Amino acid sequence: MTPEAERKLPALTPETEAFWTGGSEGKLLIQRCTQCGRYQHPPLPLCPACRTETMAPAPVSGKGRVKTFTVNHQRWLAGLDPTFVFAAVELPEQAELYVFSNILAPPEAVRSGMPVKVCFEHREDVWLPLFQPDDADAG
Amino acid sequence: MPADSYPERQVRITGIGQSKVGRPSDRSALQLTLDACLEAVADAGLSVDEIDGLTNHFGKVAEGGGISPVGTIETMLALGIRPVWTNPSTAEGPGHMGAIFQAIMAVATGLCRHVLVFRTVGQATSRLASRESTLLTGSRARVDGGNAFFVPFHAHSPANMWALYAQAYFDRYGVGPEQLGWVAVNGRRMAAHNANAIYREPITIDDYLASRMISTPLRLLDCDSHIDGSTALVISHRDAAKDLRNPPIAIEAMGMSVGGLAEGLHEGDFTAIAATRAGEMLWKRTDLKPGDVDCAQIYDGFSIHVWLWLEAVGLCAPGEAARFIEGGTRTALDGELPLNTSGGQLSAGRFHGYGHTHEGCLQLWGRGGGRQVKDARTCIVANGGYGYGAMLLRRD
Ligand SMILES: [Zn+2]
């Protein structure tokens, strides 16, 4: 189910580095305002609510639900296993806080609303946050 | 500000032109641009020397898979003009229509009298050289910007992104491919009457359902097709439009907005797009109402855009666009809202928004031939999947 082609890795910036490397300690780090508590993803240098430089990476539970998803069929690149699930995962920490990722499950098993939990795939200096079914939260 | 002093009320659309569509074309992207430009100027009844403004969406982009292979300067040189004003729009603006909005403002502020606006795509030729050239993947070793949040998860195409919206819409409103497919079927029915459309053979909903899956729930027939081609139009000051060849087309109102998609920020629940703000702006600038619209040319890079845009500009209530188009009766030429009468991008080819404006003008001028909407006097045009622009066109 995991596509075989090499993943094209993200460039790391001062704002995005925590998100991409938190997995080295098993943590999903999402930017959060230390002043008002608002989460922001993708990361930005200012809190869009406070307009202050008060954003800092904060660990979240790593749990989430599939908000919406797609099962890809088209082979975009040579060597890419075309069958994979790409999804917007909504984190429980804040409404409409989405992380885009792959769902590591048989495509036919994926549903909107499905509980998932984060896991990480380590490539070079990047720990990609991926998600798998969270059977503990299946109810 | 009184409505009659709005910039869009100071201008008229006076001419349109479009090159032959190619997949690929045997003419260069610049030649196609000049074909469209010369046709638009002649259509307006102007001489090329009277063009004193020139712009395009969105400037010359050397890479990018033919997304914008022709610039303003080479076009200016080839046309043998020296306009006082040039200012291509950018991909960060309110979608493809950004160049039209800038032209409106340049004319309204008195910088120039007749602006030639063009949009050229060379994606069919680009894809011959590299099938990957039109993907989000990029040529750098690492992905940056908003794509960094998608491409590492193998979402190499905008199809993956818009599939998320289609699935969310299906889930929320209890509809499915049997409804979405009618966007493609409707467009193809119209394209049969458009000699410059790339796909003209009629399709049925069963043909749609049998077409291969690209990224669920989007099928091949939900996706527009890369072409080589160019479209141009002339925006003239209203005083300079009076005695030209065509009855001037007024821009009753315009609306624009930009969302966060290009930077990876999706707002809402994936069943609406930031174009809603463009729709609200448009209707605040006119006394006309959605019920006054005679036909609609709505962006269809992917079929799902049509649902989202129809709701964004208030032509359908949230969740109702799917049922509105289903069956094709209400969007037919003799229906209550004839839709994408050129075939749209799904059937006519990816002229990237400008085909829609071209078609809106053509309808208001009564030149639709077999696809003419009877007595069309108003047309709404909507463009964009990342930035958004809409215009309500009215025959003066
Ligand atoms: Zn804050």
Side-chain angles (χ1 to χ4, degrees), chain A residues 33 35-38 47 49-50 52 54-55:
Chain A
C33 178
Q35 189 161 285
C36 73
R38 170 182 164 139
C47 169
C50 303
T52 52
T54 44
M55 300 306 277

Side-chain angles (χ1 to χ4, degrees), chain B residues 18-167:
Chain B
Q18 188 169 73
S19 74
K20 274 198 180 131
V21 70
R23 189 177 157 86
S25 174
D26 56 6
R27 291 173 68 68
S28 74
L30 181 55
Q31 286 176 317
L32 293 171
T33 304
L34 299 168
D35 290 345
C37 286
L38 290 175
E39 184 174 295
V41 174
D43 184 46
L46 290 164
S47 87
V48 175
D49 291 323
E50 291 174 278
I51 297 298
D52 56 357
L54 181 66
T55 189
N56 73 309
H57 182 69
F58 51 84
K60 183 165 181 159
V61 181
E63 292 186 6
I67 188 71
S68 187
V70 176
T72 302
I73 296 173
E74 61 195 306
T75 304
M76 169 187 97
L77 296 176
L79 289 173
I81 56 173
R82 293 296 183 271
V84 297
W85 179 82
T86 63
N87 192 15
S89 58
T90 87
E92 295 178 62
H96 324 93
M97 224 173 253
I100 296 175
F101 296 149
Q102 290 182 0
I104 290 169
M105 289 184 281
V107 171
T109 54
L111 284 176
C112 37
R113 302 276 283 175
H114 300 286
V115 178
L116 183 58
V117 187
F118 69 86
R119 172 91 188 94
T120 303
V121 285
Q123 293 182 293
T125 289
S126 183
R127 279 172 60 85
L128 281 183
S130 162
R131 291 272 292 174
E132 298 170 7
S133 64
T134 51
L135 299 177
L136 301 172
T137 320
S139 56
R140 295 180 196 170
R142 293 282 181 115
V143 197
D144 54 13
N147 290 338
F149 296 96
F150 311 123
V151 171
F153 307 104
H154 300 301
H156 291 282
S157 166
N160 298 128
M161 199 64 56
W162 291 101
L164 299 180
Y165 283 76
Q167 184 62 49

Side-chain angles (χ1 to χ4, degrees), chain B residues 41-374:
Chain B
V41 174
D43 184 46
L46 290 164
S47 87
V48 175
D49 291 323
E50 291 174 278
I51 297 298
D52 56 357
L54 181 66
T55 189
N56 73 309
H57 182 69
F58 51 84
K60 183 165 181 159
V61 181
E63 292 186 6
I67 188 71
S68 187
V70 176
T72 302
I73 296 173
E74 61 195 306
T75 304
M76 169 187 97
L77 296 176
L79 289 173
I81 56 173
R82 293 296 183 271
V84 297
W85 179 82
T86 63
N87 192 15
S89 58
T90 87
E92 295 178 62
H96 324 93
M97 224 173 253
I100 296 175
F101 296 149
Q102 290 182 0
I104 290 169
M105 289 184 281
V107 171
T109 54
L111 284 176
C112 37
R113 302 276 283 175
H114 300 286
V115 178
L116 183 58
V117 187
F118 69 86
R119 172 91 188 94
T120 303
V121 285
Q123 293 182 293
T125 289
S126 183
R127 279 172 60 85
L128 281 183
S130 162
R131 291 272 292 174
E132 298 170 7
S133 64
T134 51
L135 299 177
L136 301 172
T137 320
S139 56
R140 295 180 196 170
R142 293 282 181 115
V143 197
D144 54 13
N147 290 338
F149 296 96
F150 311 123
V151 171
F153 307 104
H154 300 301
H156 291 282
S157 166
N160 298 128
M161 199 64 56
W162 291 101
L164 299 180
Y165 283 76
Q167 184 62 49
Y169 195 109
F170 284 10
D171 288 337
R172 177 165 174 184
Y173 296 117
V175 293
E178 296 79 6
Q179 284 77 40
L180 187 60
W182 282 97
V183 176
V185 175
N186 175 76
R188 189 63 63 85
R189 169 180 57 181
M190 302 292 187
H193 303 287
N194 177 3
N196 206 33
I198 44 173
Y199 301 121
R200 301 181 63 198
E201 285 293 310
I203 54 170
T204 65
I205 190 71
D206 290 333
D207 293 331
Y208 168 83
L209 293 170
S211 74
R212 74 185 162 84
M213 198 63 85
I214 299 296
S215 189
T216 64
L218 298 183
R219 292 171 155 81
L220 183 65
L221 292 175
D222 290 304
C223 307
D224 65 3
S225 282
H226 295 105
I227 58 157
D228 298 332
S230 182
T231 309
L233 66 153
V234 179
I235 305 280
S236 303
H237 193 277
R238 62 181 186 183
D239 296 337
K242 282 177 189 156
D243 301 318
L244 297 185
R245 182 168 161 266
N246 294 309
I249 291 175
I251 301 170
E252 173 69 18
M254 60 183 179
M256 59 197 80
S257 61
V258 182
L261 265 59
E263 293 300 321
L265 180 69
H266 291 242
E267 298 161 85
D269 69 353
F270 294 86
T271 66
I273 47 177
T276 305
R277 293 198 297 275
E280 289 166 356
M281 176 179 166
L282 183 146
W283 292 114
K284 276 185 195 154
R285 297 170 79 84
T286 174
D287 294 329
L288 296 181
K289 301 294 175 205
D292 297 319
V293 176
D294 293 331
C295 59
Q297 315 299 337
I298 305 290
Y299 190 70
D300 55 347
F302 297 101
S303 56
I304 181 65
H305 286 131
V306 177
W307 285 1
L308 298 171
W309 256 118
L310 281 176
E311 297 177 9
V313 292
L315 292 169
C316 293
E320 292 182 3
R323 303 286 185 195
F324 183 82
I325 301 173
E326 182 178 8
T329 307
R330 299 167 83 178
T331 58
L333 286 177
D334 58 354
E336 63 195 87
L337 187 70
L339 174 68
N340 287 356
T341 49
S342 68
Q345 291 186 188
L346 296 179
S347 286
R350 184 177 157 83
F351 282 98
H352 220 209
Y354 283 65
H356 294 83
T357 299
H358 183 276
E359 178 69 12
C361 295
L362 186 137
Q363 287 289 339
L364 297 183
W365 280 323
R367 297 188 212 155
R371 65 182 197 274
Q372 179 62 42
V373 176
K374 191 162 177 283

